[in-house]
Amino acid sequence: MKEALLRFILRATSFLCLAGVLASGARAQQTPPASAQGDSGQENPQEKRGESSSHRAVNPPVPASAQTSKATLETSETLFSLLTAINACGYNQELASSDPIREQVRAEVAQSVGASEAAQEAQRQLCQFYKDHQQADAAHDLAQYVSLGLYLSGPPNFSTSIRESDLPPDATYVLGMIPLLQSYYKEAGLHDIWLKHRAGYEALVERFHDPVSNLLLKTDLYLKLQLSGYLGRRFIIYVEPMAAPGEVNARNYGDDYFLVLSPAGNDLKLDAIRHTYLHYVLDPYAMKRGTSLKRLQPLLLSLSTAPMDESFKNDISLLVTESLIRAIEARTMAVAGPLGGATVGRDAKDAREAAREIGTVREKAVDDAAREGFILAPHFYNALIAFEKDPAGIKDTYSEWIYNIDLGREKKRAEQTEFAKQASPELLHTPKPQQMQLLDLAEQRLANHDASAASKLAREALDQKQEDPARALFILARASASSGDMQGALSYFQRTIDIAREPRMVAWAHIYLGRIMDLQEQREAAVKQYQAALAAGDATPDTKSAAEHGIAQPYEPATARPH
């Protein structure tokens, strides 16, 4: 009987109490992350909040009156703190070949933590979280914390700059790191360690300024772009030696583009910088021509078996832009070998032979791109040959390139192409509207009284480690209650409380536990749960009312009251 009553109250309350927590899919808000504000005439929130950061614009050499920073090389204490924390917890990828700063910081952190019991406890908790959320490989481990770091303000608060429901899925998965990082930052003295090594970070920025500036200048000259920047848009490169050498993480949030790079000796992965910069330049061209690109939509049907990421098979603008970028990279790639490079001083025969060799290597690169699924790369490659001889810039020729795409010919090319077995991973991650997440589907199933399906979906979400684990446990708790599994419900609600960081979710988990305990006639334990709900920090009226009512009198389901 009591199990039946429990099923009723949990169904009746449904999940209205967490309406503010849930979202239909994770979508990145189209505003720049707070931790990434830099130049371009905008205030840097990290500096406003007290975070130390350094940055240097990488403008081509044009008159000062014409300059607006297209790109900046920067450092971030937020990213430093996050990556230093995971280094202390077992992120050891390629430690032996890392920049000396990484080993020095790790040693100083270990010394600081060793001298303080509070710091040791903070590190223990932080490292347990890191272990519980560890991915299958170190690169993915790093990527999820980079995603989170770009959405955090400066220390010591490390608060999110957008609604938690709008964070990318990988950032949401490690959101619980924030309160642990706040404590660790304070107890381990990370700010003092950052200040000690800030000059070393600035030296790295200085070292790579000229190579990056020259790269952007060459790219602009090839595309015949104006050398000034773009008002309201930013391209920011963070130098972060606490990551494994050569690691690259690129993100696009709204109009802003970010790269987080770790130097490998004197190498800063200039190819990755150029690739992301080309997206920064070219993405708006496709976005402004959505109507013109619609006629190419049928081409996507011919690419279903291509190995490239699914996003390129579902969005023609992404396919067009990436195909153009691959073509530009092929046309401008440096060619090594005895005949590659400059032809100055060679006789005509050698020069022709060198040109043929360079052409062969570049054509293979564009053919490889087509075999990955970027089927329009050959079209753009041929268009670029003519473009290089024409004084007109890309701004004046882009529309013509799109107009000249022969849909029938390109579909035939796709049908005749033997696609590769795998594609090189796409560097830039762009948050886009996603299909409904597993936990959203689980909520729907639970609302439709299908507890079994809801539980299955929630467990899948936990296994995939891409969505909020606290929310998954909360769904499993309510699904267990709906199925009459009171012990399972008690366990899942308690596990929710243990890892949840959203005050509203914590409060209602306590309230549900209190109601279960009231039904089990454990009044003293139930009151403690209602009191804990009030202390959870959720100030919304329904939470306060439910908790106070539970303290005032034992919970009794409506159907059990006499009429």
Side-chain angles (χ1 to χ4, degrees):
M1 176 63 180
K2 289 180 180 177
E3 283 82 2
L5 293 176
L6 178 63
R7 288 197 296 272
F8 173 82
I9 63 161
L10 289 173
R11 285 191 187 122
T13 55
S14 185
F15 198 34
L16 294 177
C17 60
L18 283 174
V21 176
L22 306 183
S24 57
R27 175 179 171 84
Q29 184 164 307
Q30 300 299 296
T31 55
S35 69
Q37 302 290 341
D39 277 3
S40 303
Q42 298 187 37
E43 190 174 45
N44 188 328
Q46 289 187 346
E47 294 181 351
K48 184 177 180 181
R49 295 180 177 91
E51 174 176 357
S52 300
S53 65
S54 60
H55 56 266
R56 183 172 176 189
V58 283
N59 296 306
V62 297
S65 60
Q67 287 191 13
T68 302
S69 297
K70 270 191 176 181
T72 55
L73 277 169
E74 299 194 11
T75 63
S76 163
E77 190 179 359
T78 296
L79 290 171
F80 165 83
S81 300
L82 264 173
L83 270 60
T84 296
I86 67 173
N87 267 267
C89 294
Y91 174 71
N92 300 319
Q93 186 183 18
E94 298 183 43
L95 181 59
S97 56
S98 294
D99 189 276
I101 290 177
R102 186 181 181 194
E103 188 62 54
Q104 293 165 12
V105 168
R106 286 167 62 108
E108 290 165 20
V109 169
Q111 183 178 6
S112 176
V113 171
S116 166
E117 291 185 5
Q120 292 169 28
E121 176 59 20
Q123 181 166 299
R124 185 194 67 77
Q125 294 183 23
L126 182 139
C127 291
Q128 184 61 53
F129 179 92
Y130 174 77
K131 181 180 178 182
D132 291 344
H133 293 76
Q134 207 162 3
Q135 298 293 331
D137 61 87
H140 284 89
D141 253 353
L142 174 67
Q144 59 190 356
Y145 291 105
V146 168
S147 291
L148 177 63
L150 289 173
Y151 275 115
L152 295 183
S153 66
N157 293 330
F158 299 109
S159 56
T160 55
S161 59
I162 62 172
R163 292 183 306 173
E164 292 180 2
S165 59
D166 288 332
L167 288 169
D170 59 345
T172 299
Y173 183 59
V174 293
L175 190 61
M177 172 68 89
I178 294 176
L180 302 174
L181 182 63
Q182 291 169 341
S183 175
Y184 188 66
Y185 176 84
K186 174 185 175 182
E187 301 298 343
L190 292 190
H191 182 62
D192 290 339
I193 296 174
W194 162 254
L195 291 179
K196 182 176 179 180
H197 292 279
R198 186 177 179 185
Y201 271 70
E202 291 173 349
L204 289 174
V205 169
E206 187 68 26
R207 182 199 306 174
F208 294 113
H209 172 270
D210 287 349
V212 172
S213 181
N214 291 335
L215 173 74
L216 301 189
L217 175 61
K218 289 179 180 178
T219 304
D220 286 354
L221 291 175
Y222 180 79
L223 297 175
K224 302 160 197 171
L225 292 168
Q226 61 179 4
L227 298 183
S228 60
Y230 302 108
L231 185 63
R233 302 181 64 226
R234 294 172 303 129
F235 180 66
I236 298 176
I237 304 162
Y238 288 105
V239 181
E240 184 44 73
M242 294 306 293
E247 279 292 333
V248 179
N249 280 272
R251 301 289 187 272
N252 164 220
Y253 299 130
D255 291 331
D256 298 319
Y257 291 68
F258 305 97
L259 268 169
V260 180
L261 301 173
S262 180
N266 291 320
D267 181 17
L268 198 62
K269 294 284 185 179
L270 293 179
D271 287 346
I273 294 175
R274 181 178 62 175
H275 187 92
T276 307
Y277 181 67
L278 284 170
H279 271 288
Y280 171 74
V281 170
L282 298 173
D283 284 348
Y285 284 86
M287 291 175 62
K288 293 176 181 177
R289 293 166 175 81
T291 302
S292 300
L293 294 178
K294 279 185 179 180
R295 72 177 183 89
L296 303 177
Q297 199 76 20
L299 181 60
L300 298 177
L301 298 175
S302 305
L303 304 174
S304 59
T305 60
M308 62 188 177
D309 188 85
E310 291 296 316
S311 60
F312 297 112
K313 303 176 187 179
N314 298 318
D315 190 326
I316 190 62
S317 67
L318 294 181
L319 179 70
V320 167
T321 300
E322 190 66 23
S323 295
L324 176 54
I325 288 174
R326 296 296 186 94
I328 292 171
E329 290 174 336
R331 286 299 303 163
T332 58
M333 69 186 300
V335 178
L339 295 179
T343 59
V344 177
R346 294 176 177 166
D347 60 30
K349 182 178 180 181
D350 280 349
R352 288 194 297 272
E353 183 63 26
R356 279 196 294 269
E357 179 183 294
I358 293 171
T360 299
V361 173
R362 289 174 173 171
E363 287 169 6
K364 182 181 184 304
V366 82
D367 287 343
D368 287 345
R371 292 184 65 239
E372 290 183 16
F374 303 108
I375 205 67
L376 295 174
H379 164 79
F380 288 121
Y381 183 89
N382 292 327
L384 287 168
I385 294 174
F387 171 77
E388 292 164 8
K389 303 172 184 177
D390 193 314
I394 189 171
K395 181 179 179 181
D396 299 316
T397 55
Y398 182 90
S399 294
E400 182 180 339
W401 292 347
I402 301 301
Y403 179 80
N404 288 336
I405 294 175
D406 185 328
L407 180 58
R409 181 181 62 194
E410 299 304 331
K411 287 178 66 177
K412 185 176 181 181
R413 189 202 304 274
E415 292 164 359
Q416 294 176 345
T417 296
E418 182 179 347
F419 293 120
K421 292 183 179 180
Q422 63 182 22
S424 55
E426 170 55 16
L427 174 67
L428 184 67
H429 296 276
T430 305
K432 288 191 172 289
Q434 300 177 357
Q435 294 180 343
M436 184 170 285
Q437 301 290 300
L438 289 173
L439 294 183
D440 295 322
L441 292 171
E443 290 290 352
Q444 285 189 355
R445 298 295 187 273
L446 197 57
N448 292 330
H449 311 299
D450 189 349
S452 176
S455 294
K456 181 179 179 181
L457 289 165
R459 289 193 181 95
E460 285 182 24
L462 281 175
D463 291 340
Q464 292 182 11
K465 297 184 176 182
Q466 292 297 317
E467 299 184 59
D468 182 6
R471 183 182 171 199
L473 291 170
F474 195 80
I475 291 171
L476 285 168
R478 290 177 293 122
S480 296
S482 296
S483 302
D485 179 9
M486 189 175 294
Q487 286 304 119
L490 285 167
S491 174
Y492 282 127
F493 278 129
Q494 187 57 58
R495 289 174 62 188
T496 300
I497 292 168
D498 290 342
I499 68 170
R501 304 299 172 186
E502 168 60 45
R504 191 170 179 83
M505 185 180 291
V506 173
W508 277 93
H510 280 298
I511 290 170
Y512 282 138
L513 282 175
R515 291 176 177 178
I516 293 173
M517 291 170 182
D518 268 337
L519 291 172
Q520 293 178 330
E521 299 179 356
Q522 301 178 39
R523 180 59 184 159
E524 184 176 347
V527 170
K528 290 181 179 179
Q529 293 296 332
Y530 297 131
Q531 291 171 338
L534 287 175
D538 178 26
T540 52
D542 58 335
T543 301
K544 188 171 182 287
S545 174
E548 289 178 345
H549 190 274
I551 293 172
Q553 63 185 58
Y555 182 79
E556 184 179 354
T559 54
R561 296 182 185 128
H563 294 287

